[in-house]
Amino acid sequence: MATIKGMNLTLKIWRQKDANSKGKIETYKVKDISDHMSFLEMMDVLNEQLISENKEPVAFDHDCREGICGSCSLHINGEPHGPDRGVTTCQLHMRKFNSGDTIYIEPFRAKAFPVIKDLVVDRSAFDRIIQSGGFVSVNTSGNTQDANALPIPKADADKAFDAATCIGCGACVASCKNASAMLFVSAKVSQLSLLPQGQVEREERVLNMVSQMDDEGFGNCTNTGACEVECPKGISLENIARMNREFLKATIHKEE
Amino acid sequence: MSISAILKSSIAKKWLMALTGLFLCLFLVGHLLGNLQLFIGGWDGTVKFNEYAEFMSSNPIVQTVAWITKILIGVHVVLALLLVINNRSARSTNYKYNRPDKNAKFSSRTMGWMGTLLLVFIVVHLVNFWAPMHYDNEFPVQLNEAGNYYTADGIEQVNSYLQKVEGKQHVFINKVDMGLAMRDLAKVTKDFFSKTENGVTALLMMILYAIAMLAVAFHLSHGFASAFQSLGINHKKYNGMIKLAGMAFSFIVPFVFAAIPVYLYVTQA
C-alpha cells in the first residue's frame, strides 16, 4: 500500500446561517489529510474538528458517496465538483491537491438554486422541471408487455441511455456563466424522445419542461460548453441541440 | 404555443440570435467581395469601385437588403441585451473564486463584449463612409485627368461642369442637366487611410479598423459554429465540417477586411 501523505490545507469556505442571512467566506485549517480521502471525507474531518471546538459544523449535501445519487455539489476552486473530470465531489480524491494548497469551497450559485445553509442549496427547481414533463403512457390492459418486444436501434438506445445517466446534480447550472439548466433539461428531454415509449407525450413534454425551466429563472445557453466539461456524467451538448430541434418541431406542429 | 409565449422562450431567442447572426455572416461575405475592388490600383480601380458604389446605393433590391441588414443588426443587438439581462439575473450572487477558463473558451465567454465593440465600430464605420456618401452634398465627385466629370451611370461627360440641383451635385453640359454626378468613394476611402491626406488620423483609423476586425474574428470563431448548435444542427457527420468552416470563416473574412486599410495605409504616400 502506498504511504499515506499527510496534507495540510487552508480552506476558504462559504458560511451562511440560513437562506435570509448574508454569508461570507471563512478560513479554516485542516492537518494530516490523507491523499486517499475523498473530498467529502476531508470535509468530515473539518466538521469533527469544528464540533470538538464547539463550533457549528459546515453544512453540505451528500448521500450515496458513490457518485450516483447527485446529492453532493460544491464549487471547488472555481469549478463544480472540483478540478477532476467525470466525477462528483464525493468521488474527488484529495490526491488531486497538494499540501499547503488553499481551497475555495462555495455553494452552487444560481438564482434558481437559493442557498439554504452554508454549502447546501435548494435544487428543487429541477424536481419541478421533471414534474412538468408529466407522465409516460403505459399500456395497462392485458398482460405486461415484454420490454424486448419493442425494437429500438442500438444507436438510439445508447444515446437514450447516455442521456439517462444524468444524476441531476446541477453542476451544469453551477458551471454555466449564465446559470443555464439546458444540459440537464435536454438530457431529460432526449432520454424519452429517443425511445418509442416516450413518443406519446413527446411534444407536450419538451414544451412544458422548457417553459418550466424558463419560469424557474435559469439563464440562456451561449454554447460555451462549460456544462459538458464539468458534467460528472459526461452528458453531451448534442442533447441541447436535440432539445432545440424537439422544441422547434413541437412549437410548429402543436395546435394549441 | 402562442406567438408571445414563443418569443418569451429562451430557445426561441436563441434561434433568432442564430438566424440573424448567420444572415449577418452572409452580409460580411457580400461586403468583403465588394471591398476587394479597393485592391485594384490606378484609374481603373477608382472607376470600378465608384461604379460599384453608385450601383449599391441606388439599386432598389440592394437598398432593401441594406435596410433589412440594418434592422437585423438591431434585432441581434436587442435580443443580445435581453439575453444578457436575463443571464445576469440568473446568477444574482457571484462566486468569490471562479475559473471559467478551465471549462470554456475565451471567445465563447466574450460574445457580449466583442459584440459591443463591433456595434461601436459599425457606428464609427457608418459615420466615416456611409453617412457622408448619403447626406453630404459636398461629397467629392469623380473627375478624370482631362477634367471631365462622370454621371452616376458611369458615362464620361466631355466639357462638363458641376451645378447643384435641389442641393445635389449634377453634371451639366451647355446648361443641359446630364444627371447626378458620380461620387468618388474610392478617393475618399483611399484618402481616409493616407498619411499625407489624413495625417496621424489615418494611422489611428487603420489601427482601430484592425482591432475591430480582431473582435469580428473572436465573435465569429464562436458565433458561426454556435449558431448551428442553437438551430439544433449537431450531427456527428457534419460537426467537423461546421467547425472547420467556422474556423476558416472567422479567420479569412476579418483578415482580408483588415488587410484593406493596412494595404491602403502602407501603399499610399
Side-chain angles (χ1 to χ4, degrees), chain A residues 14 25 75 77-79 85 104 106-111 173-179 182 207 210 213-214 217-226 229-230 237-238 240-241 243-245 247-248 251 256, chain B residues 1-2 6 8-15 82-84 86-100 102-105 108-111 222 225-235:
Chain A
W14 182 262
I25 295 273
H75 201 255
N77 274 352
E79 288 180 86
R85 294 288 174 247
Y104 278 81
E106 293 177 76
F108 282 180
R109 293 283 186 202
K111 196 178 74 185
V173 175
S175 65
C176 178
K177 76 183 181 70
N178 307 332
M182 291 223 185
L207 293 176
V210 169
M213 168 183 84
D214 290 344
F218 291 105
N220 303 278
C221 178
T222 307
N223 305 327
T224 67
V229 173
E230 299 294 352
L237 281 187
E238 199 189 319
I240 299 185
M243 175 172 70
N244 294 350
R245 286 199 299 274
F247 187 78
L248 176 65
T251 304
E256 71 276 2
Chain B
M1 275 181 104
S2 68
I6 294 170
K8 232 184 75 193
S9 119
S10 52
I11 295 180
K13 286 199 205 90
K14 292 302 295 178
W15 294 334
L82 289 176
L83 289 167
V84 165
N86 195 232
N87 294 341
R88 288 278 159 87
S89 80
R91 177 166 292 134
S92 35
T93 313
N94 269 320
Y95 294 109
K96 296 281 173 214
Y97 184 89
N98 200 11
R99 293 295 302 273
K102 290 270 187 187
N103 49 37
K105 280 188 184 150
S108 73
R109 289 182 281 118
T110 51
M111 288 300 278
H222 179 69
S226 173
F228 288 88
Q229 163 80 7
S230 288
L231 295 172
I233 303 166
N234 179 323
H235 191 285

Side-chain angles (χ1 to χ4, degrees), chain B residues 98-141:
Chain B
N98 200 11
R99 293 295 302 273
D101 53 308
K102 290 270 187 187
N103 49 37
K105 280 188 184 150
F106 177 79
S107 59
S108 73
R109 289 182 281 118
T110 51
M111 288 300 278
W113 291 112
M114 295 301 172
T116 309
L117 204 65
L118 279 182
L119 185 65
V120 172
F121 169 74
I122 290 170
V123 172
V124 170
H125 186 49
L126 287 178
V127 168
N128 289 157
F129 299 106
W130 177 82
M133 177 94 176
H134 284 257
Y135 301 110
D136 181 6
N137 288 332
E138 304 299 324
F139 198 84
V141 293

Side-chain angles (χ1 to χ4, degrees), chain B residues 118-227:
Chain B
L118 279 182
L119 185 65
V120 172
F121 169 74
I122 290 170
V123 172
V124 170
H125 186 49
L126 287 178
V127 168
N128 289 157
F129 299 106
W130 177 82
M133 177 94 176
H134 284 257
Y135 301 110
D136 181 6
N137 288 332
E138 304 299 324
F139 198 84
V141 293
Q142 186 175 302
L143 180 67
N144 67 9
E145 279 185 338
N148 296 329
Y149 294 100
Y150 288 70
T151 40
D153 51 12
I155 297 168
E156 181 181 0
Q157 305 292 346
V158 184
N159 295 328
S160 58
Y161 57 96
L162 278 184
Q163 194 174 316
K164 283 211 177 142
V165 177
E166 287 164 4
K168 305 252 181 225
Q169 303 183 94
H170 282 235
V171 180
F172 278 75
I173 301 175
N174 289 331
K175 294 184 182 170
V176 180
D177 186 356
M178 306 305 289
L180 279 166
M182 173 168 274
R183 290 161 292 181
D184 201 349
L185 184 62
K187 183 174 165 6
V188 169
T189 309
K190 285 170 184 171
D191 288 353
F192 188 76
F193 294 109
S194 149
K195 288 167 269 241
T196 39
E197 296 292 336
N198 213 356
V200 74
T201 314
L203 177 67
L204 290 176
M205 282 298 156
M206 180 194 78
I207 294 168
L208 176 79
Y209 275 56
I211 290 172
M213 288 310 110
L214 199 64
V216 174
F218 276 115
H219 201 69
L220 288 176
S221 72
H222 179 69
F224 187 94
S226 173

